[in-house]
Every structure is written in C-alpha cells, then in structure tokens.
Amino acid sequence: MASAIPGDGIRWESKGRAATYLSRPSFLINPLCFEMIGADSEVLIIDNSEASIWPQKHEEVFVGLMEEEVLKGNRNTTTFTKQSWKHIKEELCAQVKRSYTNLQLRNNYNLLRQKHKDFKSLLKETSIGYSEVTGQVTAPDKVWDRLIRVNKKKGCVLYKKLCTIFGDTTATGFNAHPSTRSPSIDLDNNDDDDAMSKSPSVRNQESSFDEDGRKRRDKSTGTTSSRSAKKAKFSLALAETLTVYNETAKRKIDLYENSMTLTKHHLLDECIEALNQIDGISGEVYAKAIEKFESELTLLTLSAMDHHHQHCSESPQTLSPPPPSSTDDTTTTITTPTCCKCGATAAFNAPPPWSEISPPNYRPIRAPAINLPPNQSQQAIILTPVPQAQRVPIETPPFQFQTPSKRIQSPEDIRRFHESFSGKNFLGFIVALSESVRGRKISDPVHHQSPITDSIVSILETLIQWVDEIPPTQMKSRYGNVSYRVWQERLVENSENLMLRFLPDDLRSSTVEIVPYFTDSFGNSSRIDYGTGHETNFAAWLYCLARLGLIKEEDYDSVVIRIFVKYMALMRKLQTVYCLEPAGSHGVWGLDDYHFLPYIFGSSQLINHKYMKPKSIHNEDILENFSHEYLYLSCIAFVKKVKKGPFSEHSPLLDDISGVPNWNKVNSGLLKMYKVEVLEKVPIMQHFIFGSLIKW
C-alpha cells in the first residue's frame, strides 16, 4: 500500500518510487487524465497563478461558511445569492484576519468544485477506498501503479462538506454551467463585480494577470477553442460536401432535361447567325423567319431522335379510344394509335389535332409562336436583328449647314427614323466603334493618333478642370446641385471657341450644327439630370465629325479608348459632384441609371478573353485590378460603389447578363437592347435633333 500525506503537498509512494511533490491546489495536471474520468467529461483546467495559495485553515473556514449557506437554503441554481456571497466574504475576513478579493473567492470556489468533481470520479474507480475520518484514499499497489502513470492525486479532508456544497449541482447536470464559465459573484457595485458580469472570453482576458501583475497562461481557453475549431472545421467540410452533392444532382437533372433539345438549339443558332448576315430585313420578316425556323427544326429534331416508345402488348380492341377531334355530331372514326416511325401499335393514344379553341385541351411540344404585344420590350429585343457596322459617308461641298431641330413626336416618327439611311448609318457607326476595340485594353496603343483626337481629349480635360473651379453649393436635396447650371452656362458660352480648336477653316461654319449636339451631351441644366439620351447626343456629335471627315475609320479605336474614356471620366465627376439626377431611369430594372454605350464598348473589349467571363464581374479582385482597363468592368465597379445592398437586388439585369456564357453574346444582345430601349423610345428620342449631317 501507498501512503498519502495530507497538507500543502502530497507524496505518492509505491514500490520504492516517489512522485513529484506538488503544490496543493493543483489537482489535474495531465491531459491523460481523460483515460480515468472519461474523455467526454468537461474539465476546467485552472492555473495556480490565478489566485494566491490559501492556507489550509482559511480554506476550511471558507468551506464551512459555504456549507452553512447551503443548509440555510441561500443558494440559487449553481451558486449563492448576492447576499450570501457578501456574508461569506465578511465572515471569512473576520475569522481569518485577512482580506480576500472577489477574484480570489471565485477562483478558490472553482478549484474546490473541480476538486470535488475529480475526487468523486476517482472514488468510482474499481478497488479504490476512502476514509471519511482521515480523508485518505487507499488502493492496491497495482492500481497505484496504473494511476500514477496518468495522475498524481492527494487526499481530500473536506470531501464530505464539498459533497454538501456541490453534490446536487453536479450530479444531474440540470443546473450545471460550462466548465469554462465561472459562477456569478456579485457582492457590491465595484469594478470586480463588473468584470464578473462580463462574458467568459472577456473575463478570461482580464483574469490572465495575477495580483502582482504577472501574466499567466490560461489552458482552458486553448482547450475549448481547439475543440470548437475542430467542430467548426468538420461542419464546414460537411456543408461543402452537401453543396457539391446538390450541385452535381441538379446538373445531372438539367443535362437530362436539356439533352433532347441541344440539337435543335444548335441548329437554330446557326440559322439565326446566317439570318443576321443578311442586310435590309425588316423586323416583321425577321420575326416570321425565326418562327419558321423554330417550327421546322422542332419536327427535324423529333424525327432525328432515337426510336424510344412503348409498344402495346394488348390487343387494339382493349385500347381506349382517343378523344374526338371535333365537336361535330357526326360519327367519329376511332383509330388505333400507331407509332409514326415504325407503324407498330403504341401504348398511348394519339393526341388530338391542334385546335384554335382557347384554352386548348392539348398543346403539342412546340405550339405556334404567340406574339406578345408590341410594347413588350423583351420580345422586341429578341426579334430585333443584330445591328451591323456600316461605313460613314463623308459630306462633300457645297455644305448647307443648318441649326438642328427636334422632329420625333410619335412612334411613327421613330419608325421613320430607323427606316431612313441616317438612322441605320448612325447605329452602324456605333457598331463600328464597338468592333474597333474588340480584344483591346484601354492602355493599349492606338492604331492612329490624329491631332483631332488629341484636341478633343484636351477639350474634355478643360471641362473636367471647370468642375474643380466651380465647387458644389451646400444643399439638403439628394439630387440636383444648382452649381451645375453655372458649369453648363460656361460650357454654352465657350462651346464655339472649343470647336474652333480643331475645325479647319473650310468647316468653321459647321459650328452652327455641331455645337447643339455637343452642349446637350452633358446633361440638362434646367432639370439638372443626365441619361442615355445625352450620351446618344455625344455619340451623334462624334458621328457628325465622322461625316465631316475629321474622324476617320483608322481613328475609331482612339475615339473609344481615348475620347470616350475621357468623356466617361468627366461624366462620373459631374454625376458625383453635382448629383445629377438619372433622366428617365428604369430604376432597378434598367441596365444603368446613366449610361449604356460603355457596356457595349466594354463587352467588345472582353470578347475572346482567355480568363475573364461575364460571371467574372462578381469577383472583387478582378474588378479592383482590371476596372481601369475595361469599360464594362469600370461601370460595374462604379455601380457597386454608389449602390448598397446585394448586387442581384439593385442591378438584377446586370446580374442576369453575368449568366451569359460568352462576351460575344453579351455584346450582340446589348446592341439589340440599345436599339430597342434607347433609339426606339419616344421619351428619349423626342429630344434628338436633326440637321444636314443627320438628316430627317
């Protein structure tokens, strides 16, 4: 047998071996103790430096006072009431003639609770005996050999009293609290009480120093955080696995559902692409051609499918007759359903022929196309042919420049404009600008840097400098700073002189026609707003310069990545400094509050890019690193900067476009959308002006 010596230290002796002398408060010192008390038990590991060492007499007084309070019924849940703690502290200080802080009381309370818990677990070990008189633990030498390897224990003289104090709070676990959280001890309104009422993590940080100011290690925090990290890691891995599984299952279902229509879609795309190469097709003829393609390709796809159907194993007489094909009272001939491919009897009745009765009882796989009302923009965009680039004819003398005026007042006027040469050529000019920057970055060198483009860039830089010279007025309104009118007034006064910077002598008289396009390219001074109509005026001003021969085809790339980029910088500054109101914005259902053309030019820049796809706009690193190189990414970055909330909520159309597979489709779709949503809208084009360069 081994002997245990009670006191401030303990020496275990077994077969001539002596265990290391330990300080009294340390009860569990080895993580291997889980082998004895169970790995699932929660163990509070408390450092000795967390409280000064209590003499044995002081601890006995402390335990006795707590036992008295328990017997009086002054303990609620896992700890004592506020009055009880105050009484215990006062009596303890009076009897032992020493003052203890709230932190010392709490730490000793935790040590005693842990001591009771571990000693109780020790007594559950087989062949372990305990004497309540001496407080000694007895066991055979073999048991001591095994226990010494994993723990070094000591006697517990106060075990019986500790059972009275902690017995009913740790047996069932109903009122127990986590081992990393101390019971609340609230004696009076001082700083210690405030610390006790804080969260466990804050208390652990504040209690990481002893009374002498020396820092100590807190093992409990590391153990708990390690366990929580493992749980979080496992949960994350499980969630990722389930997500991958769900995505794989959804992908399989989508592939299965789309497998029967892939051939049709491929052929239809080829037909539409061939149709887009034909010039001079009206919208009505284009829509009828698309409808014809779809109906013919549906029959072709069905006939090319594998021969999959269920033949009937029953006699034809047992089949239920198909429903009558008409509502006449004449006798209906009942025919046996047969397979249209092999002629064998089929297991299902043939569907009735298509009926114009609304609603029909049956609709085949591909019913005749139902044309939506003409005011449905989505249907109009789908049926619009992709605009094609056109060469701009140069105006020749004798010139007949005139002050441009407004002509569009109704949808009939819109139709007349788009059927005219001016309407088609102006849109073809925009397409040509888009194609000139295909696969080009803003920082790339231009093919031809002419003095005209340099002069225009210099003019735009002058306008940017004016914004700095005319600061905004302090106002409470959200939109429309009145200082913009001062800037616009200076623009109107100096616009003719700005044009004369680059106009040759024989074209100086053209200022009467091109200045109105230029001055209306930066917003409206009365409404203090800006929209796609003003942007279109800037494109019309560039088109007029091309009609005059000042901008040539070899200058198109510099027009976009030099002039238009500088124009965008100016407009972003005007919008943010003077708070220009969006003119005619569709809100969240529009492409952008202010612009449209930079999305067209920017999508053309990204065509055939190796890495960046339409979905790359959701990558913040790509936006940060490449928004200065591509107009499309620059616009997306600006939208995310000025608008708050999820991108899919404040810009659902841009979010939908990010799902398009490639930039080529994005570019062609935006060109069609620009024609329908901007150039065919009366509220926008009613402000467009016509002269000798853009004829009505």
Side-chain angles (χ1 to χ4, degrees), residues 566-588:
K566 186 64 67 175
Y567 170 75
M568 286 295 299
L570 169 62
M571 291 317 307
R572 293 302 190 199
K573 192 161 189 176
L574 289 173
Q575 292 157 15
T576 54
V577 173
Y578 298 128
C579 302
L580 302 185
E581 184 175 1
S585 172
H586 292 282
V588 299

mmCIF file with all atom_site columns, all heavy atoms in Angstrom, residues 566-588:
data_model
loop_
_atom_site.group_PDB
_atom_site.id
_atom_site.type_symbol
_atom_site.label_atom_id
_atom_site.label_alt_id
_atom_site.label_comp_id
_atom_site.label_asym_id
_atom_site.label_entity_id
_atom_site.label_seq_id
_atom_site.pdbx_PDB_ins_code
_atom_site.Cartn_x
_atom_site.Cartn_y
_atom_site.Cartn_z
_atom_site.occupancy
_atom_site.B_iso_or_equiv
_atom_site.pdbx_formal_charge
_atom_site.auth_seq_id
_atom_site.auth_comp_id
_atom_site.auth_asym_id
_atom_site.auth_atom_id
_atom_site.pdbx_PDB_model_num
ATOM 1   N N   . LYS A 1 566 ? -12.265 59.404 -71.699 1.00 0.00 ? 566 LYS A N   1
ATOM 2   C CA  . LYS A 1 566 ? -12.159 60.725 -71.055 1.00 0.00 ? 566 LYS A CA  1
ATOM 3   C C   . LYS A 1 566 ? -13.549 61.323 -70.822 1.00 0.00 ? 566 LYS A C   1
ATOM 4   O O   . LYS A 1 566 ? -13.796 61.974 -69.789 1.00 0.00 ? 566 LYS A O   1
ATOM 5   C CB  . LYS A 1 566 ? -11.311 61.651 -71.922 1.00 0.00 ? 566 LYS A CB  1
ATOM 6   C CG  . LYS A 1 566 ? -11.017 62.999 -71.284 1.00 0.00 ? 566 LYS A CG  1
ATOM 7   C CD  . LYS A 1 566 ? -10.185 62.846 -70.018 1.00 0.00 ? 566 LYS A CD  1
ATOM 8   C CE  . LYS A 1 566 ? -8.797  62.337 -70.338 1.00 0.00 ? 566 LYS A CE  1
ATOM 9   N NZ  . LYS A 1 566 ? -7.931  62.301 -69.133 1.00 0.00 ? 566 LYS A NZ  1
ATOM 10  N N   . TYR A 1 567 ? -14.458 61.105 -71.763 1.00 0.00 ? 567 TYR A N   1
ATOM 11  C CA  . TYR A 1 567 ? -15.845 61.562 -71.590 1.00 0.00 ? 567 TYR A CA  1
ATOM 12  C C   . TYR A 1 567 ? -16.490 60.887 -70.384 1.00 0.00 ? 567 TYR A C   1
ATOM 13  O O   . TYR A 1 567 ? -17.208 61.531 -69.606 1.00 0.00 ? 567 TYR A O   1
ATOM 14  C CB  . TYR A 1 567 ? -16.631 61.264 -72.869 1.00 0.00 ? 567 TYR A CB  1
ATOM 15  C CG  . TYR A 1 567 ? -18.121 61.467 -72.747 1.00 0.00 ? 567 TYR A CG  1
ATOM 16  C CD1 . TYR A 1 567 ? -18.681 62.736 -72.723 1.00 0.00 ? 567 TYR A CD1 1
ATOM 17  C CD2 . TYR A 1 567 ? -18.981 60.376 -72.675 1.00 0.00 ? 567 TYR A CD2 1
ATOM 18  C CE1 . TYR A 1 567 ? -20.059 62.924 -72.625 1.00 0.00 ? 567 TYR A CE1 1
ATOM 19  C CE2 . TYR A 1 567 ? -20.352 60.548 -72.569 1.00 0.00 ? 567 TYR A CE2 1
ATOM 20  C CZ  . TYR A 1 567 ? -20.885 61.826 -72.551 1.00 0.00 ? 567 TYR A CZ  1
ATOM 21  O OH  . TYR A 1 567 ? -22.247 61.999 -72.447 1.00 0.00 ? 567 TYR A OH  1
ATOM 22  N N   . MET A 1 568 ? -16.234 59.595 -70.200 1.00 0.00 ? 568 MET A N   1
ATOM 23  C CA  . MET A 1 568 ? -16.784 58.881 -69.041 1.00 0.00 ? 568 MET A CA  1
ATOM 24  C C   . MET A 1 568 ? -16.213 59.435 -67.737 1.00 0.00 ? 568 MET A C   1
ATOM 25  O O   . MET A 1 568 ? -16.934 59.569 -66.741 1.00 0.00 ? 568 MET A O   1
ATOM 26  C CB  . MET A 1 568 ? -16.473 57.390 -69.152 1.00 0.00 ? 568 MET A CB  1
ATOM 27  C CG  . MET A 1 568 ? -17.314 56.650 -70.180 1.00 0.00 ? 568 MET A CG  1
ATOM 28  S SD  . MET A 1 568 ? -19.058 56.618 -69.736 1.00 0.00 ? 568 MET A SD  1
ATOM 29  C CE  . MET A 1 568 ? -18.988 55.757 -68.186 1.00 0.00 ? 568 MET A CE  1
ATOM 30  N N   . ALA A 1 569 ? -14.925 59.767 -67.741 1.00 0.00 ? 569 ALA A N   1
ATOM 31  C CA  . ALA A 1 569 ? -14.327 60.347 -66.534 1.00 0.00 ? 569 ALA A CA  1
ATOM 32  C C   . ALA A 1 569 ? -14.984 61.676 -66.194 1.00 0.00 ? 569 ALA A C   1
ATOM 33  O O   . ALA A 1 569 ? -15.253 61.981 -65.018 1.00 0.00 ? 569 ALA A O   1
ATOM 34  C CB  . ALA A 1 569 ? -12.823 60.519 -66.733 1.00 0.00 ? 569 ALA A CB  1
ATOM 35  N N   . LEU A 1 570 ? -15.251 62.491 -67.221 1.00 0.00 ? 570 LEU A N   1
ATOM 36  C CA  . LEU A 1 570 ? -15.928 63.767 -66.992 1.00 0.00 ? 570 LEU A CA  1
ATOM 37  C C   . LEU A 1 570 ? -17.332 63.556 -66.442 1.00 0.00 ? 570 LEU A C   1
ATOM 38  O O   . LEU A 1 570 ? -17.747 64.224 -65.481 1.00 0.00 ? 570 LEU A O   1
ATOM 39  C CB  . LEU A 1 570 ? -15.976 64.557 -68.301 1.00 0.00 ? 570 LEU A CB  1
ATOM 40  C CG  . LEU A 1 570 ? -16.876 65.802 -68.316 1.00 0.00 ? 570 LEU A CG  1
ATOM 41  C CD1 . LEU A 1 570 ? -16.401 66.824 -67.286 1.00 0.00 ? 570 LEU A CD1 1
ATOM 42  C CD2 . LEU A 1 570 ? -16.910 66.412 -69.717 1.00 0.00 ? 570 LEU A CD2 1
ATOM 43  N N   . MET A 1 571 ? -18.077 62.624 -67.024 1.00 0.00 ? 571 MET A N   1
ATOM 44  C CA  . MET A 1 571 ? -19.465 62.417 -66.601 1.00 0.00 ? 571 MET A CA  1
ATOM 45  C C   . MET A 1 571 ? -19.534 61.824 -65.195 1.00 0.00 ? 571 MET A C   1
ATOM 46  O O   . MET A 1 571 ? -20.427 62.184 -64.416 1.00 0.00 ? 571 MET A O   1
ATOM 47  C CB  . MET A 1 571 ? -20.192 61.507 -67.589 1.00 0.00 ? 571 MET A CB  1
ATOM 48  C CG  . MET A 1 571 ? -20.439 62.134 -68.951 1.00 0.00 ? 571 MET A CG  1
ATOM 49  S SD  . MET A 1 571 ? -21.019 63.852 -68.885 1.00 0.00 ? 571 MET A SD  1
ATOM 50  C CE  . MET A 1 571 ? -22.427 63.724 -67.798 1.00 0.00 ? 571 MET A CE  1
ATOM 51  N N   . ARG A 1 572 ? -18.646 60.943 -64.842 1.00 0.00 ? 572 ARG A N   1
ATOM 52  C CA  . ARG A 1 572 ? -18.636 60.412 -63.479 1.00 0.00 ? 572 ARG A CA  1
ATOM 53  C C   . ARG A 1 572 ? -18.380 61.533 -62.474 1.00 0.00 ? 572 ARG A C   1
ATOM 54  O O   . ARG A 1 572 ? -18.981 61.541 -61.390 1.00 0.00 ? 572 ARG A O   1
ATOM 55  C CB  . ARG A 1 572 ? -17.558 59.336 -63.340 1.00 0.00 ? 572 ARG A CB  1
ATOM 56  C CG  . ARG A 1 572 ? -17.805 58.066 -64.143 1.00 0.00 ? 572 ARG A CG  1
ATOM 57  C CD  . ARG A 1 572 ? -19.095 57.396 -63.788 1.00 0.00 ? 572 ARG A CD  1
ATOM 58  N NE  . ARG A 1 572 ? -19.209 56.067 -64.379 1.00 0.00 ? 572 ARG A NE  1
ATOM 59  C CZ  . ARG A 1 572 ? -20.351 55.408 -64.546 1.00 0.00 ? 572 ARG A CZ  1
ATOM 60  N NH1 . ARG A 1 572 ? -21.489 55.980 -64.160 1.00 0.00 ? 572 ARG A NH1 1
ATOM 61  N NH2 . ARG A 1 572 ? -20.373 54.207 -65.078 1.00 0.00 ? 572 ARG A NH2 1
ATOM 62  N N   . LYS A 1 573 ? -17.535 62.476 -62.853 1.00 0.00 ? 573 LYS A N   1
ATOM 63  C CA  . LYS A 1 573 ? -17.252 63.586 -61.941 1.00 0.00 ? 573 LYS A CA  1
ATOM 64  C C   . LYS A 1 573 ? -18.456 64.509 -61.829 1.00 0.00 ? 573 LYS A C   1
ATOM 65  O O   . LYS A 1 573 ? -18.816 64.967 -60.731 1.00 0.00 ? 573 LYS A O   1
ATOM 66  C CB  . LYS A 1 573 ? -16.028 64.347 -62.433 1.00 0.00 ? 573 LYS A CB  1
ATOM 67  C CG  . LYS A 1 573 ? -15.489 65.335 -61.400 1.00 0.00 ? 573 LYS A CG  1
ATOM 68  C CD  . LYS A 1 573 ? -14.063 65.726 -61.718 1.00 0.00 ? 573 LYS A CD  1
ATOM 69  C CE  . LYS A 1 573 ? -13.448 66.530 -60.571 1.00 0.00 ? 573 LYS A CE  1
ATOM 70  N NZ  . LYS A 1 573 ? -12.028 66.839 -60.808 1.00 0.00 ? 573 LYS A NZ  1
ATOM 71  N N   . LEU A 1 574 ? -19.110 64.798 -62.948 1.00 0.00 ? 574 LEU A N   1
ATOM 72  C CA  . LEU A 1 574 ? -20.308 65.630 -62.902 1.00 0.00 ? 574 LEU A CA  1
ATOM 73  C C   . LEU A 1 574 ? -21.416 64.965 -62.082 1.00 0.00 ? 574 LEU A C   1
ATOM 74  O O   . LEU A 1 574 ? -22.130 65.625 -61.321 1.00 0.00 ? 574 LEU A O   1
ATOM 75  C CB  . LEU A 1 574 ? -20.802 65.909 -64.323 1.00 0.00 ? 574 LEU A CB  1
ATOM 76  C CG  . LEU A 1 574 ? -19.957 66.855 -65.184 1.00 0.00 ? 574 LEU A CG  1
ATOM 77  C CD1 . LEU A 1 574 ? -20.484 66.887 -66.608 1.00 0.00 ? 574 LEU A CD1 1
ATOM 78  C CD2 . LEU A 1 574 ? -19.939 68.251 -64.595 1.00 0.00 ? 574 LEU A CD2 1
ATOM 79  N N   . GLN A 1 575 ? -21.574 63.660 -62.250 1.00 0.00 ? 575 GLN A N   1
ATOM 80  C CA  . GLN A 1 575 ? -22.639 62.938 -61.541 1.00 0.00 ? 575 GLN A CA  1
ATOM 81  C C   . GLN A 1 575 ? -22.408 62.924 -60.040 1.00 0.00 ? 575 GLN A C   1
ATOM 82  O O   . GLN A 1 575 ? -23.364 63.019 -59.259 1.00 0.00 ? 575 GLN A O   1
ATOM 83  C CB  . GLN A 1 575 ? -22.727 61.506 -62.085 1.00 0.00 ? 575 GLN A CB  1
ATOM 84  C CG  . GLN A 1 575 ? -23.216 61.418 -63.515 1.00 0.00 ? 575 GLN A CG  1
ATOM 85  C CD  . GLN A 1 575 ? -22.795 60.140 -64.208 1.00 0.00 ? 575 GLN A CD  1
ATOM 86  O OE1 . GLN A 1 575 ? -22.360 59.181 -63.558 1.00 0.00 ? 575 GLN A OE1 1
ATOM 87  N NE2 . GLN A 1 575 ? -22.909 60.104 -65.518 1.00 0.00 ? 575 GLN A NE2 1
ATOM 88  N N   . THR A 1 576 ? -21.165 62.789 -59.629 1.00 0.00 ? 576 THR A N   1
ATOM 89  C CA  . THR A 1 576 ? -20.880 62.692 -58.201 1.00 0.00 ? 576 THR A CA  1
ATOM 90  C C   . THR A 1 576 ? -20.764 64.060 -57.530 1.00 0.00 ? 576 THR A C   1
ATOM 91  O O   . THR A 1 576 ? -21.181 64.220 -56.386 1.00 0.00 ? 576 THR A O   1
ATOM 92  C CB  . THR A 1 576 ? -19.579 61.900 -57.978 1.00 0.00 ? 576 THR A CB  1
ATOM 93  O OG1 . THR A 1 576 ? -18.525 62.492 -58.747 1.00 0.00 ? 576 THR A OG1 1
ATOM 94  C CG2 . THR A 1 576 ? -19.756 60.453 -58.402 1.00 0.00 ? 576 THR A CG2 1
ATOM 95  N N   . VAL A 1 577 ? -20.203 65.050 -58.245 1.00 0.00 ? 577 VAL A N   1
ATOM 96  C CA  . VAL A 1 577 ? -20.006 66.371 -57.639 1.00 0.00 ? 577 VAL A CA  1
ATOM 97  C C   . VAL A 1 577 ? -21.314 67.150 -57.596 1.00 0.00 ? 577 VAL A C   1
ATOM 98  O O   . VAL A 1 577 ? -21.691 67.713 -56.561 1.00 0.00 ? 577 VAL A O   1
ATOM 99  C CB  . VAL A 1 577 ? -18.922 67.157 -58.399 1.00 0.00 ? 577 VAL A CB  1
ATOM 100 C CG1 . VAL A 1 577 ? -18.840 68.588 -57.877 1.00 0.00 ? 577 VAL A CG1 1
ATOM 101 C CG2 . VAL A 1 577 ? -17.573 66.477 -58.257 1.00 0.00 ? 577 VAL A CG2 1
ATOM 102 N N   . TYR A 1 578 ? -22.035 67.171 -58.724 1.00 0.00 ? 578 TYR A N   1
ATOM 103 C CA  . TYR A 1 578 ? -23.262 67.951 -58.801 1.00 0.00 ? 578 TYR A CA  1
ATOM 104 C C   . TYR A 1 578 ? -24.524 67.111 -58.609 1.00 0.00 ? 578 TYR A C   1
ATOM 105 O O   . TYR A 1 578 ? -25.633 67.633 -58.754 1.00 0.00 ? 578 TYR A O   1
ATOM 106 C CB  . TYR A 1 578 ? -23.329 68.671 -60.152 1.00 0.00 ? 578 TYR A CB  1
ATOM 107 C CG  . TYR A 1 578 ? -22.200 69.647 -60.368 1.00 0.00 ? 578 TYR A CG  1
ATOM 108 C CD1 . TYR A 1 578 ? -21.423 69.603 -61.526 1.00 0.00 ? 578 TYR A CD1 1
ATOM 109 C CD2 . TYR A 1 578 ? -21.888 70.616 -59.414 1.00 0.00 ? 578 TYR A CD2 1
ATOM 110 C CE1 . TYR A 1 578 ? -20.381 70.495 -61.727 1.00 0.00 ? 578 TYR A CE1 1
ATOM 111 C CE2 . TYR A 1 578 ? -20.843 71.507 -59.601 1.00 0.00 ? 578 TYR A CE2 1
ATOM 112 C CZ  . TYR A 1 578 ? -20.090 71.438 -60.765 1.00 0.00 ? 578 TYR A CZ  1
ATOM 113 O OH  . TYR A 1 578 ? -19.061 72.317 -60.948 1.00 0.00 ? 578 TYR A OH  1
ATOM 114 N N   . CYS A 1 579 ? -24.370 65.833 -58.312 1.00 0.00 ? 579 CYS A N   1
ATOM 115 C CA  . CYS A 1 579 ? -25.505 64.946 -58.002 1.00 0.00 ? 579 CYS A CA  1
ATOM 116 C C   . CYS A 1 579 ? -26.572 65.006 -59.090 1.00 0.00 ? 579 CYS A C   1
ATOM 117 O O   . CYS A 1 579 ? -27.756 65.294 -58.825 1.00 0.00 ? 579 CYS A O   1
ATOM 118 C CB  . CYS A 1 579 ? -26.116 65.304 -56.647 1.00 0.00 ? 579 CYS A CB  1
ATOM 119 S SG  . CYS A 1 579 ? -24.971 65.226 -55.278 1.00 0.00 ? 579 CYS A SG  1
ATOM 120 N N   . LEU A 1 580 ? -26.172 64.759 -60.339 1.00 0.00 ? 580 LEU A N   1
ATOM 121 C CA  . LEU A 1 580 ? -27.126 64.781 -61.441 1.00 0.00 ? 580 LEU A CA  1
ATOM 122 C C   . LEU A 1 580 ? -28.155 63.675 -61.257 1.00 0.00 ? 580 LEU A C   1
ATOM 123 O O   . LEU A 1 580 ? -27.825 62.533 -60.948 1.00 0.00 ? 580 LEU A O   1
ATOM 124 C CB  . LEU A 1 580 ? -26.405 64.604 -62.776 1.00 0.00 ? 580 LEU A CB  1
ATOM 125 C CG  . LEU A 1 580 ? -25.320 65.638 -63.117 1.00 0.00 ? 580 LEU A CG  1
ATOM 126 C CD1 . LEU A 1 580 ? -24.789 65.394 -64.513 1.00 0.00 ? 580 LEU A CD1 1
ATOM 127 C CD2 . LEU A 1 580 ? -25.860 67.054 -62.989 1.00 0.00 ? 580 LEU A CD2 1
ATOM 128 N N   . GLU A 1 581 ? -29.413 64.007 -61.483 1.00 0.00 ? 581 GLU A N   1
ATOM 129 C CA  . GLU A 1 581 ? -30.484 63.023 -61.343 1.00 0.00 ? 581 GLU A CA  1
ATOM 130 C C   . GLU A 1 581 ? -30.546 62.151 -62.585 1.00 0.00 ? 581 GLU A C   1
ATOM 131 O O   . GLU A 1 581 ? -30.406 62.654 -63.705 1.00 0.00 ? 581 GLU A O   1
ATOM 132 C CB  . GLU A 1 581 ? -31.818 63.731 -61.137 1.00 0.00 ? 581 GLU A CB  1
ATOM 133 C CG  . GLU A 1 581 ? -32.977 62.782 -60.883 1.00 0.00 ? 581 GLU A CG  1
ATOM 134 C CD  . GLU A 1 581 ? -34.260 63.515 -60.559 1.00 0.00 ? 581 GLU A CD  1
ATOM 135 O OE1 . GLU A 1 581 ? -34.241 64.759 -60.563 1.00 0.00 ? 581 GLU A OE1 1
ATOM 136 O OE2 . GLU A 1 581 ? -35.278 62.846 -60.315 1.00 0.00 ? 581 GLU A OE2 1
ATOM 137 N N   . PRO A 1 582 ? -30.746 60.841 -62.447 1.00 0.00 ? 582 PRO A N   1
ATOM 138 C CA  . PRO A 1 582 ? -30.888 59.985 -63.630 1.00 0.00 ? 582 PRO A CA  1
ATOM 139 C C   . PRO A 1 582 ? -32.109 60.401 -64.441 1.00 0.00 ? 582 PRO A C   1
ATOM 140 O O   . PRO A 1 582 ? -33.213 60.528 -63.914 1.00 0.00 ? 582 PRO A O   1
ATOM 141 C CB  . PRO A 1 582 ? -31.045 58.580 -63.043 1.00 0.00 ? 582 PRO A CB  1
ATOM 142 C CG  . PRO A 1 582 ? -30.482 58.669 -61.667 1.00 0.00 ? 582 PRO A CG  1
ATOM 143 C CD  . PRO A 1 582 ? -30.751 60.068 -61.196 1.00 0.00 ? 582 PRO A CD  1
ATOM 144 N N   . ALA A 1 583 ? -31.923 60.605 -65.731 1.00 0.00 ? 583 ALA A N   1
ATOM 145 C CA  . ALA A 1 583 ? -33.012 61.036 -66.607 1.00 0.00 ? 583 ALA A CA  1
ATOM 146 C C   . ALA A 1 583 ? -33.694 59.820 -67.211 1.00 0.00 ? 583 ALA A C   1
ATOM 147 O O   . ALA A 1 583 ? -33.079 59.059 -67.957 1.00 0.00 ? 583 ALA A O   1
ATOM 148 C CB  . ALA A 1 583 ? -32.472 61.943 -67.709 1.00 0.00 ? 583 ALA A CB  1
ATOM 149 N N   . GLY A 1 584 ? -34.961 59.631 -66.869 1.00 0.00 ? 584 GLY A N   1
ATOM 150 C CA  . GLY A 1 584 ? -35.718 58.524 -67.441 1.00 0.00 ? 584 GLY A CA  1
ATOM 151 C C   . GLY A 1 584 ? -35.223 57.164 -67.028 1.00 0.00 ? 584 GLY A C   1
ATOM 152 O O   . GLY A 1 584 ? -35.318 56.194 -67.787 1.00 0.00 ? 584 GLY A O   1
ATOM 153 N N   . SER A 1 585 ? -34.698 57.037 -65.823 1.00 0.00 ? 585 SER A N   1
ATOM 154 C CA  . SER A 1 585 ? -34.161 55.751 -65.362 1.00 0.00 ? 585 SER A CA  1
ATOM 155 C C   . SER A 1 585 ? -35.289 54.758 -65.109 1.00 0.00 ? 585 SER A C   1
ATOM 156 O O   . SER A 1 585 ? -36.387 55.118 -64.668 1.00 0.00 ? 585 SER A O   1
ATOM 157 C CB  . SER A 1 585 ? -33.356 55.955 -64.082 1.00 0.00 ? 585 SER A CB  1
ATOM 158 O OG  . SER A 1 585 ? -32.985 54.717 -63.528 1.00 0.00 ? 585 SER A OG  1
ATOM 159 N N   . HIS A 1 586 ? -35.022 53.499 -65.419 1.00 0.00 ? 586 HIS A N   1
ATOM 160 C CA  . HIS A 1 586 ? -35.966 52.417 -65.138 1.00 0.00 ? 586 HIS A CA  1
ATOM 161 C C   . HIS A 1 586 ? -35.786 51.857 -63.727 1.00 0.00 ? 586 HIS A C   1
ATOM 162 O O   . HIS A 1 586 ? -36.366 50.817 -63.413 1.00 0.00 ? 586 HIS A O   1
ATOM 163 C CB  . HIS A 1 586 ? -35.794 51.281 -66.154 1.00 0.00 ? 586 HIS A CB  1
ATOM 164 C CG  . HIS A 1 586 ? -36.205 51.664 -67.543 1.00 0.00 ? 586 HIS A CG  1
ATOM 165 N ND1 . HIS A 1 586 ? -37.512 51.727 -67.943 1.00 0.00 ? 586 HIS A ND1 1
ATOM 166 C CD2 . HIS A 1 586 ? -35.463 52.016 -68.619 1.00 0.00 ? 586 HIS A CD2 1
ATOM 167 C CE1 . HIS A 1 586 ? -37.570 52.092 -69.219 1.00 0.00 ? 586 HIS A CE1 1
ATOM 168 N NE2 . HIS A 1 586 ? -36.326 52.281 -69.649 1.00 0.00 ? 586 HIS A NE2 1
ATOM 169 N N   . GLY A 1 587 ? -34.982 52.510 -62.900 1.00 0.00 ? 587 GLY A N   1
ATOM 170 C CA  . GLY A 1 587 ? -34.755 52.002 -61.550 1.00 0.00 ? 587 GLY A CA  1
ATOM 171 C C   . GLY A 1 587 ? -33.927 50.738 -61.587 1.00 0.00 ? 587 GLY A C   1
ATOM 172 O O   . GLY A 1 587 ? -32.983 50.602 -62.374 1.00 0.00 ? 587 GLY A O   1
ATOM 173 N N   . VAL A 1 588 ? -34.281 49.790 -60.733 1.00 0.00 ? 588 VAL A N   1
ATOM 174 C CA  . VAL A 1 588 ? -33.505 48.546 -60.668 1.00 0.00 ? 588 VAL A CA  1
ATOM 175 C C   . VAL A 1 588 ? -33.664 47.710 -61.925 1.00 0.00 ? 588 VAL A C   1
ATOM 176 O O   . VAL A 1 588 ? -32.860 46.809 -62.186 1.00 0.00 ? 588 VAL A O   1
ATOM 177 C CB  . VAL A 1 588 ? -33.912 47.714 -59.429 1.00 0.00 ? 588 VAL A CB  1
ATOM 178 C CG1 . VAL A 1 588 ? -33.634 48.474 -58.163 1.00 0.00 ? 588 VAL A CG1 1
ATOM 179 C CG2 . VAL A 1 588 ? -35.384 47.321 -59.493 1.00 0.00 ? 588 VAL A CG2 1
#
